[in-house]
């Protein structure tokens, strides 16, 4: 027998997450609207959103020193619709924002491409682990300048996906090494 007492609350479910703007980012939009944000937050009950770092955020190496990053070389101003979508979601009551990366910039990868697939799916080159860690730090800082707080990160979306879309192979030992020895240190050094 199961007895349910609806007057007692034992836990709070947090989640009902989602990904995606009103239209896909590779289209001409619109990516957001007051109705879309309201429908997701107040009708659906979405509390957590996962979003990606746009692939054009650092399309060229900002300088030759992986420990120094010149934020003026990062292109967060080029995706204002994307930023507005995140602002609209936060304003509508979004509780947590998680960012994920589909692919490291092409210049950091073994196949020099944002895309996977084929005989050369592309992995993060060891020489660019520090640069990739800085990439996350600078994205979080750039979004903070726009009034958007990032609550959590996943360093690689679908790390074993080598399909011909923005993707990057990152096996468990590589991801462990990157998180423990580079990303954590970069976050700590920057006060995140």
């Amino acid at each position: 027998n199961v007895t349910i007492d609806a007057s007692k609350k034992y836990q709070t479910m947090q989640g009902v997450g989602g990904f995606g703007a009103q239209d896909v980012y590779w289209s001409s939009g619109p990516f957001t609207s007051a109705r879309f944000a309201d429908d997701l937050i107040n009708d659906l009950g979405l509390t957590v959103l996962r979003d990606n770092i746009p692939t054009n955020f650092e399309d060229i190496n900002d300088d030759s020193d992986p420990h120094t990053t010149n934020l003026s070389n990062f292109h967060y101003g080029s995706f204002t619709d994307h930023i507005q979508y995140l602002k609209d979601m936060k304003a509508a009551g979004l509780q947590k924002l998680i960012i994920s990366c589909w692919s490291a910039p092409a210049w950091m990868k073994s196949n020099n491409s944002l895309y996977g697939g084929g005989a050369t799916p592309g992995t993060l080159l060891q020489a660019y682990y520090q640069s990739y860690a800085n990439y996350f730090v600078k994205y979080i800082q750039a979004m903070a300048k726009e009034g958007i707080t990032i609550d959590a990160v996943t360093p690689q979306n679908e790390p074993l996906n080598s399909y011909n879309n923005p993707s990057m192979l990152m096996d468990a030992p590589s991801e462990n090494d990157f998180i423990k020895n580079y990303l954590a240190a970069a976050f700590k050094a920057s006060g995140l």
Side-chain angles (χ1 to χ4, degrees):
N1 292 337
V2 176
T3 303
I4 298 174
D5 183 349
S7 68
K8 292 183 180 179
K9 185 176 180 180
Y10 293 98
Q11 66 182 14
T12 300
M13 297 299 288
Q14 191 174 34
V16 188
F19 168 76
Q22 183 170 311
D23 199 353
V24 293
Y25 287 131
W26 55 89
S27 75
S28 59
F31 302 105
T32 187
S33 69
R35 169 74 190 267
F36 179 71
D38 183 65
D39 283 351
L40 288 177
I41 302 297
N42 297 314
D43 187 26
L44 180 62
L46 184 127
T47 61
V48 179
L49 177 72
R50 184 176 70 111
D51 199 52
N52 65 305
I53 299 177
T55 56
N56 66 339
F57 182 59
E58 187 184 13
D59 51 9
I60 59 169
N61 193 351
D62 68 308
D63 61 30
S64 60
D65 181 0
H67 299 282
T68 303
T69 307
N70 180 356
L71 194 54
S72 67
N73 290 334
F74 287 68
H75 305 290
Y76 64 96
S78 66
F79 45 91
T80 55
D81 289 336
H82 183 92
I83 291 170
Q84 190 59 53
Y85 162 60
L86 297 178
K87 285 181 176 181
D88 288 355
M89 294 301 289
K90 286 281 191 172
L94 182 71
Q95 294 174 21
K96 289 192 178 180
L97 177 60
I98 301 168
I99 59 159
S100 187
C101 193
W102 284 196
S103 173
W107 57 269
M108 292 185 194
K109 292 174 58 185
S110 61
N111 66 350
N112 198 32
S113 173
L114 291 174
Y115 296 88
T120 55
T123 59
L124 181 64
L125 295 169
Q126 177 75 35
Y128 292 117
Y129 275 31
Q130 185 65 55
S131 293
Y132 192 49
N134 290 352
Y135 180 75
F136 281 91
V137 169
K138 294 307 166 185
Y139 184 78
I140 292 167
Q141 291 172 338
M143 291 299 101
K145 282 187 173 186
E146 298 293 332
I148 299 167
T149 300
I150 306 295
D151 298 293
V153 302
T154 58
Q156 183 52 45
N157 178 61
E158 300 175 352
L160 298 179
N161 170 8
S162 63
Y163 299 113
N164 197 20
N165 58 327
S167 62
M168 182 174 74
L169 289 179
M170 189 177 238
D171 63 22
S174 299
E175 194 163 0
N176 182 57
D177 179 30
F178 171 72
I179 292 169
K180 286 177 67 176
N181 298 313
Y182 297 89
L183 188 61
F187 278 14
K188 186 175 181 181
S190 63
L192 295 175

